Amino acid sequence: SKRLVAAGGYREVCVWDPYSGALAFRLTSTNLVGPVRSLLWVPGRKLLFAGCGEPGRNGRVVAFDQDGGERGKALLGPADAVVALAVRSNERLLAAASMDRKVYVYDLDTRATEWAPLAHDAAVLATSWSPDASFLASGDYDGHVKLWDGADGERLGSGKQTGPVLGLAFQPSGLSLVAAVGGWGRRSVSVLTPQKAAASTNSGETNQKVKYELRLARELGIPAGSPVSLTAAPRPALRMLVVANDGVI
């Protein structure tokens, strides 16, 4: 792609040419309600998804094509702003984390919700699929990270962090999950490893799903500012990119 995409704030998305720095065009729609809080480019579908919403209402996800046109109906359901998006590796399911304390998973072919909303007890601020689509993770304002079955949305485990979970990303191997923790709590970029819970290990039921505990394996560092987002690089050598609110990457 020869274009750089950035959220433009209230009810619009701005697209710039990274070579010239010139504004290419603005994406607008009556379906964009309130600030645009999350963006996700899905390359196989050549679509840009924008999550938006107003405080306490009208959360939704709007899709645009690479020429700036709106594509298909908006993904509705959230009762508050959509602040994070993640797509499964086969690009069929899209997860939308909302301030209404839920994660919504949509089928991008039908534009309908795939499962019942995945519930938290606080605003959900981050979400990520594992590379093999086995797991979906989500993190909330109270510091809880939950692990869901990537096939049917059943909750498989959880872990508690020291502050709001502002970003989540599985490492390329899929064996661990990195959490950006900040806000009112202790700042950290933490590597979490799913470990089988004792009840699952000792159970004699052959059809019972394995349950997990998300345990801290190590910390990658303590940013001077609160980490606000992170992403896993496609090449294992690059590992992880973290953005903090002190302007440091």
Side-chain angles (χ1 to χ4, degrees):
S1 174
K2 295 183 178 180
R3 292 168 178 164
L4 177 68
V5 179
Y10 197 73
R11 294 187 176 181
E12 69 173 7
V13 177
C14 296
V15 182
W16 283 273
D17 184 322
Y19 298 101
S20 67
L23 180 66
F25 50 78
R26 298 176 186 270
L27 307 179
T28 60
S29 166
T30 56
N31 281 317
L32 285 178
V33 179
V36 176
R37 299 177 183 270
S38 52
L39 287 172
L40 179 68
W41 172 250
V42 180
R45 293 178 180 263
K46 297 182 178 180
L47 293 176
L48 174 71
F49 291 88
C52 61
E54 296 174 305
R57 62 194 183 103
N58 292 334
R60 61 190 59 188
V61 181
V62 183
F64 297 92
D65 61 30
Q66 59 187 352
D67 296 317
E70 187 175 349
R71 289 286 299 274
K73 64 181 181 179
L75 307 177
L76 305 177
D80 208 323
V82 173
V83 297
L85 298 169
V87 70
R88 200 164 75 169
S89 55
N90 65 1
E91 298 190 353
R92 187 178 73 84
L93 297 183
L94 178 76
S98 174
M99 298 287 285
D100 71 357
R101 306 181 181 185
K102 298 181 179 70
V103 180
Y104 297 79
V105 178
Y106 299 94
D107 184 319
L108 293 182
D109 293 329
T110 65
R111 298 296 177 98
T113 51
E114 181 77 359
W115 313 317
L118 310 178
H120 279 250
D121 294 324
V124 189
L125 307 177
T127 187
S128 178
W129 291 93
S130 63
D132 65 357
S134 296
F135 303 115
L136 174 66
S138 53
D140 66 30
Y141 181 80
D142 283 348
H144 290 98
V145 177
K146 295 189 178 183
L147 197 66
W148 313 90
D149 191 319
D152 58 16
E154 180 179 339
R155 180 177 167 181
L156 298 179
S158 63
K160 181 70 166 65
Q161 309 309 304
T162 57
V165 179
L166 305 176
L168 284 173
F170 279 91
Q171 290 189 314
S173 65
L175 300 178
S176 56
L177 177 68
V178 181
V181 181
W184 49 261
R186 177 177 178 270
R187 299 185 301 272
S188 68
V189 179
S190 302
V191 179
L192 309 176
T193 302
Q195 297 187 7
K196 292 182 181 180
S200 295
T201 304
N202 298 329
S203 175
E205 296 182 25
T206 57
N207 294 328
Q208 183 183 26
K209 286 190 179 181
V210 175
K211 301 296 183 178
Y212 296 89
E213 295 176 358
L214 288 171
R215 297 182 180 177
L216 178 65
R218 64 187 184 279
E219 290 184 338
L220 298 181
I222 309 297
S226 177
V228 294
S229 66
L230 55 80
T231 184
R235 290 181 293 162
L238 294 179
R239 301 294 182 184
M240 195 66 54
L241 184 68
V242 180
V243 179
N245 68 0
D246 61 355
V248 176
I249 296 177

